[in-house]
Amino acid sequence: MKTIYTGIKQLLAFTGENSPRSGHAQRETGLIENAAVLVSGDKIIAAGPRRIVESLPEAADAEAIETGGICLPAFIDSHTHAVFAEPRLKDFSMRTAGASYAEIKQAGGGINSSIGAVRAASAEDLEKSLLIRAGSFIKAGTGTAEVKSGYGLDRDSELKMLKAIKSASEKTPLTMIPTLLAAHSVPPEFAGHADDYLDYIEKEIFPSVEKEGLAKFADIFCEKGYFSPAQAKRYLNSARKHGMLPKAHVEQMSRSGGTAAAAACGAISADHADYCAAEDIAAMKDSGTIAALLPASNYFLGLKKFPPAREFIQAGIPVAIATDFNPGTCPCLNMQFVISCACVNCGLAPEEALCAATINGAKALGLEDRGMIMPGMRADLAFFDYDDYRELAYFFGDNACVRTVIAGVTVYEAGNKHAKGISASCSREAK
Ligand code: NIG
Ligand code: FE
């Protein structure tokens, strides 16, 4: 089965090396005007100027879809906490009344307040709500999302979260990459005894996750009041022995040393990175660690400070951007908003932000088969109803995605309920 998508006003193909883009290369979008993309099965077989692609012999028997608009690789959201049981509206009300994230934690809100509902929820309910959210990701043009555990914080509940991700993955076209975030916070049973909790993770959680092959990555929240750099090293090195690749939440609220610890463990990405200093950036450069910036969480927390994206770009560190979708600091799964926020608040050029949301997102997840629109790549495409790609960053708060193609199949088409591959169980209407 072949399909040719035609009439694309601007195709951002991100052609080039299949590697993280940094420095000036982060501005190279591989822009082609009046373009077409030819897809066979789940792969792209040609992409380029319309008349060239249309005249290929392989295009002769392809179904033609005149899409117009802008076409990008479907977004790759490399950092989400999309499994959770309840929104944290009480935290939100406290914050609008002026409380900080730390003050909310102090008052009994924060990460640990999400634990109760997740522990009480059935695996089926977690899976069901995740599937509804997967449908929303797809409608916003996202084809791949990393999804973390981290609201269970005991063996059974962490496994329950990871199993919900696994079983939901089998029912939605959205690719979900699972990450074990057992060290998201010290759970109440271990209050004041973070090292004992790490003993417990090493003894009880890592072996089970490894045995069942439930996580590609392991993540830790390195921050004052959560886990120290030494604890991060211990956790990430031990996770690696259990087959999980390291990544970490670092320097989110303060400079606490997580970046150097993560880099020393060879982390694929250092996430948030708001308070990174020159030494941290140097450590990332040595270890080839990607800066995964999450500016929508700064927006939602009402912070004045945003991650120093320009410093990373100047230092030649590849920058990815992601939503951080979670119930505490970022209840937003729309990458279009994150792109706008990264441009307005971190000084990224629209070209850099789009690279950060696609090819560099793929690299922050160790993915080789997506993030570019080139022959051989998986056909993950997002189409937007705009004339110029910069409108993606300009019309903030909008979702202009009109079609999402994942692995060669149109899984979402605006206004076409029948054509979408978002199954009934993935859609909010089915709730
Ligand atoms: O990335 N900082 C740690 N984790 C999340 C917040 C999670 C929560 O508040 O529930 C983050 O911002
Ligand atoms: Fe996060």
Side-chain angles (χ1 to χ4, degrees):
M1 164 75 185
K2 282 187 274 185
T3 309
I4 183 166
Y5 299 96
T6 55
I8 299 166
K9 288 179 191 153
Q10 294 183 334
L11 172 72
L12 273 61
F14 296 98
T15 32
E17 295 289 311
N18 191 359
S19 55
R21 309 290 166 82
S22 59
H24 194 74
Q26 188 145 1
R27 279 181 193 245
E28 288 161 16
T29 59
L31 173 71
I32 301 161
E33 299 203 313
N34 191 15
V37 180
L38 179 60
V39 170
S40 176
D42 65 348
K43 296 272 187 312
I44 295 162
I45 57 170
R50 176 178 191 154
R51 64 195 151 69
I52 294 180
V53 179
E54 272 182 338
S55 63
L56 293 170
E58 300 93 310
D61 57 348
E63 181 202 356
I65 299 180
E66 179 79 7
T67 62
I70 306 297
C71 177
L72 301 177
F75 294 131
I76 296 160
D77 188 347
S78 64
H79 183 135
T80 89
H81 307 250
V83 191
F84 56 87
E86 285 172 357
R88 294 218 301 269
L89 301 172
K90 200 168 148 219
D91 289 15
F92 182 56
S93 294
M94 282 180 75
R95 196 161 44 256
T96 56
S100 69
Y101 192 68
E103 286 161 348
I104 291 167
K105 180 190 180 200
Q106 219 39 47
I111 295 168
N112 280 2
S113 69
S114 282
I115 297 175
V118 166
R119 288 183 178 175
S122 67
E124 293 71 33
D125 283 346
L126 291 180
E127 180 190 324
K128 217 160 133 192
S129 57
L130 179 57
L131 277 170
I132 291 168
R133 293 173 196 143
S136 304
F137 275 103
I138 290 169
K139 285 182 187 173
T142 298
T144 302
E146 181 257 19
V147 183
K148 302 175 198 294
S149 66
Y151 293 121
L153 309 188
D154 64 28
R155 190 197 55 204
D156 292 350
S157 311
E158 286 293 298
L159 287 176
K160 181 171 67 180
M161 293 185 78
L162 292 173
K163 285 180 183 165
I165 299 167
K166 187 172 181 205
S167 53
S169 294
E170 288 155 9
K171 300 184 180 115
T172 171
L174 180 74
T175 300
M176 291 194 272
I177 310 282
T179 294
L180 175 70
L181 179 55
H184 199 186
S185 177
V186 179
E189 310 82 88
F190 287 92
H193 300 281
D195 283 315
D196 293 342
Y197 179 52
L198 292 179
D199 288 343
Y200 169 84
I201 293 175
E202 289 186 330
K203 204 163 141 263
E204 298 288 335
I205 304 185
F206 284 164
S208 313
V209 173
E210 181 181 22
K211 191 164 156 234
E212 301 197 42
L214 289 172
K216 176 171 179 179
F217 297 103
D219 190 352
I220 183 165
F221 185 18
C222 190
E223 185 67 53
K224 289 186 190 91
Y226 297 85
F227 296 95
S228 69
Q231 288 166 337
K233 273 194 198 168
R234 172 186 168 190
Y235 172 90
L236 293 175
N237 284 328
S238 170
R240 193 190 274 282
K241 291 193 191 113
H242 288 280
M244 288 167 267
L245 302 171
K247 44 172 67 222
H249 285 68
V250 300
E251 331 296 348
Q252 181 181 2
M253 319 281 174
S254 63
R255 180 152 186 259
S256 52
T259 309
C265 299
I268 191 163
S269 69
D271 298 35
H272 287 285
D274 297 45
Y275 285 86
C276 272
E279 299 92 296
D280 304 316
I281 294 176
M284 289 169 73
K285 183 110 189 181
D286 288 345
S287 57
T289 302
I290 293 171
L293 310 183
L294 312 169
S297 63
N298 302 56
Y299 162 83
F300 188 70
L301 294 181
L303 304 179
K304 291 203 173 64
K305 182 167 171 53
F306 280 81
R310 292 255 57 89
E311 289 171 36
F312 289 115
I313 299 233
Q314 260 148 34
I317 307 284
V319 169
I321 56 174
T323 59
D324 196 18
F325 178 56
N326 77 75
T329 66
C330 187
C332 167
L333 51 69
N334 183 350
M335 285 294 281
Q336 190 177 343
F337 176 74
V338 177
I339 288 163
S340 183
C341 194
C343 292
V344 171
N345 297 110
C346 306
L348 287 188
E351 297 77 8
E352 292 169 330
L354 291 166
C355 170
T358 55
I359 175 70
N360 279 3
K363 297 306 159 199
L365 292 177
L367 299 170
E368 295 295 304
D369 65 345
R370 63 198 76 180
M372 297 190 273
I373 301 179
M374 280 173 69
M377 286 283 148
R378 201 171 88 144
D380 284 13
L381 310 169
F383 295 84
F384 299 88
D385 188 16
Y386 289 137
D387 298 319
D388 185 302
Y389 66 84
R390 290 170 297 186
E391 291 174 272
L392 274 155
Y394 176 85
F395 286 112
F396 78 95
D398 195 5
N399 172 18
C401 180
V402 287
R403 176 187 297 274
T404 308
V405 174
I406 298 181
V409 176
T410 291
V411 294
Y412 167 65
E413 189 184 350
N416 183 355
K417 288 199 183 228
H418 302 292
K420 66 190 175 191
I422 303 171
S423 69
S425 64
C426 303
S427 75
R428 194 168 261 282
E429 297 92 79
K431 209 175 166 186

